[in-house]
Amino acid sequence: MSGFVPWDSQSLDDWTRRHARGATIELAGYRTHYIEKGEGPPLILLHGFFYDTYLWAENIDALARHFKVYALDLWGCGYSTRDPMDYGYALYAEQLRLFMDAMGLAHASIAGQSMGAGTAIKFCVEHRDRVDRLVLVDAAGMPNPLPAMAKFFNLPGLGEFLLTRKTDLFRRMALKDLFIHDASRITDDYYANVVRAHKIAGSVTAGFGIQRADFFDKLSDEVRALGSLDVPVMLVWGRQDKAIPLHCAQQMHALLPGSRLEILDRAGHVANFEQADAFNRLAIDFLRESASARTQVAGPPTERGTPMPVA
């Protein structure tokens, strides 16, 4: 394993200079890395656990042809700060508010995946006037116990020991078993880009700080509150999602009158990657719907399957 860079070993400043694709900004004294691209109505992208802005690599260019896209690294992830924090949706919703204020964004549409989708829900319930539309991809929030692998790694000291070993085995295993349905999509290049920021010192501590805070599936009240608002919502789910199964999508969908549920075949927990073309079409069409459609009285939820082949 010649040339292997140890996990949790690189300084945030140096690794950011070498590898970050975007810019950084200080928010309340903490660094946030973000990518900014395109022109048009503002759209903010929020990644899920284990990932960073690279989660949207197959989506940003397509979306940026229609929107001013901002993709954030949530605190503890990517090239954002690793300082000890009280991780949870409240923290990330505050990070989002601070970012919008700093960018001069009075309102925006928000697309989030998994933990990022949960953050979008929390933010919208607290700041409805600042949200135009929501796209929730394999969203966390509904009751859903951690997968067995996550529980195993959560054992005190064990996860830290395994994830600092000089091996790619455990991170590749997590991608294959929890995140990506088609293992052939986990190329060496894809894997390297997903986990590159895990090399930053403090990443393992931050990752377990997030996971052990046990907040991912604790948004039932907020989902119900979201259902009482008039915000247009589209849920996009991978039919083969093993981390947050499809029944969670159906439960959330039922609590959101007027919402759409789009199910993508041959996709796991990162449906926006495995079925990027289908996701991009759905997101662009939904986000570009006329302003008059936003004010229509919500009807019953609608559910669609979208088995679109990969080109």
Side-chain angles (χ1 to χ4, degrees):
M1 202 174 287
S2 177
F4 184 90
V5 177
W7 304 107
D8 218 38
S9 67
Q10 303 300 299
S11 77
L12 176 61
D13 288 344
D14 180 60
W15 213 240
T16 298
R17 281 193 299 269
R18 293 173 62 182
H19 298 294
R21 292 176 168 83
T24 61
I25 187 172
E26 295 293 313
L27 304 174
Y30 298 109
R31 178 182 304 180
T32 292
H33 169 256
Y34 67 98
I35 295 172
E36 179 180 351
K37 190 166 188 177
E39 296 295 336
L43 169 63
I44 298 173
L45 308 179
L46 303 175
H47 64 82
F49 181 70
F50 194 83
Y51 279 79
D52 54 33
T53 54
Y54 186 75
L55 181 131
W56 305 103
E58 298 296 320
N59 315 118
I60 289 178
D61 287 348
L63 295 171
R65 287 194 280 271
H66 305 275
F67 310 100
K68 179 76 165 183
V69 177
Y70 302 87
L72 278 64
D73 282 342
L74 297 173
W75 285 326
C77 308
Y79 300 93
S80 291
T81 187
R82 298 294 192 278
D83 294 7
M85 293 183 166
D86 185 11
Y87 291 111
Y89 291 127
L91 176 73
Y92 290 137
E94 177 64 3
Q95 182 185 8
L96 177 55
R97 184 192 68 80
L98 291 168
F99 180 81
M100 291 181 68
D101 289 350
M103 293 292 110
L105 300 176
H107 55 88
S109 291
I110 305 172
Q113 185 266 351
S114 193
M115 180 180 76
T119 299
I121 292 169
K122 176 75 169 176
F123 180 83
C124 186
V125 169
E126 295 180 347
H127 305 283
R128 169 63 190 95
D129 60 320
R130 306 195 68 172
V131 178
D132 296 329
R133 296 186 158 241
L134 289 177
V135 177
L136 307 177
V137 185
D138 297 274
M142 302 305 295
N144 179 47
L146 281 176
M149 176 184 290
K151 291 179 180 177
F152 175 75
F153 275 85
N154 261 358
L155 294 173
L158 179 62
E160 286 85 348
F161 174 77
L162 294 176
L163 290 182
T164 52
R165 298 305 90 196
K166 190 177 177 180
T167 179
D168 293 311
L169 173 65
F170 302 113
R171 287 169 176 82
R172 283 188 177 273
M173 186 186 305
L175 279 177
K176 182 175 70 71
D177 291 351
L178 297 177
F179 293 97
I180 304 299
H181 168 62
D182 180 359
S184 71
R185 305 295 304 277
I186 309 173
T187 63
D188 289 346
D189 181 68
Y190 180 77
Y191 170 77
N193 279 292
V194 170
V195 303
R196 183 168 286 118
H198 295 198
K199 303 290 185 175
I200 296 170
S203 293
V204 170
T205 298
F208 282 113
I210 294 168
Q211 186 167 288
R212 290 169 180 162
D214 192 26
F215 64 88
F216 294 152
D217 67 338
K218 305 296 191 297
L219 279 180
S220 294
D221 290 344
E222 286 82 356
V223 173
R224 290 185 175 88
L226 180 63
S228 69
L229 304 177
D230 63 348
V231 61
V233 179
M234 180 171 69
L235 307 173
V236 181
W237 228 272
R239 191 180 296 277
Q240 288 79 25
D241 188 343
K242 289 182 284 188
I244 305 181
L246 187 57
H247 69 80
C248 293
Q250 294 160 340
Q251 291 170 359
M252 185 175 290
H253 181 45
L255 294 175
L256 300 174
S259 65
R260 287 169 54 183
L261 171 57
E262 301 285 355
I263 302 168
L264 301 183
D265 285 322
R266 298 178 300 283
H269 190 52
V270 193
N272 59 291
F273 162 67
E274 289 198 84
Q275 294 291 348
D277 289 345
F279 171 81
N280 293 340
R281 286 194 294 270
L282 288 168
I284 291 167
D285 288 348
F286 175 73
L287 292 168
R288 292 181 69 191
E289 286 178 10
S290 67
S292 62
R294 302 180 188 187
T295 60
Q296 291 177 354
V297 176
T302 59
E303 176 177 337
R304 310 179 192 181
T306 52
M308 299 182 183
V310 176

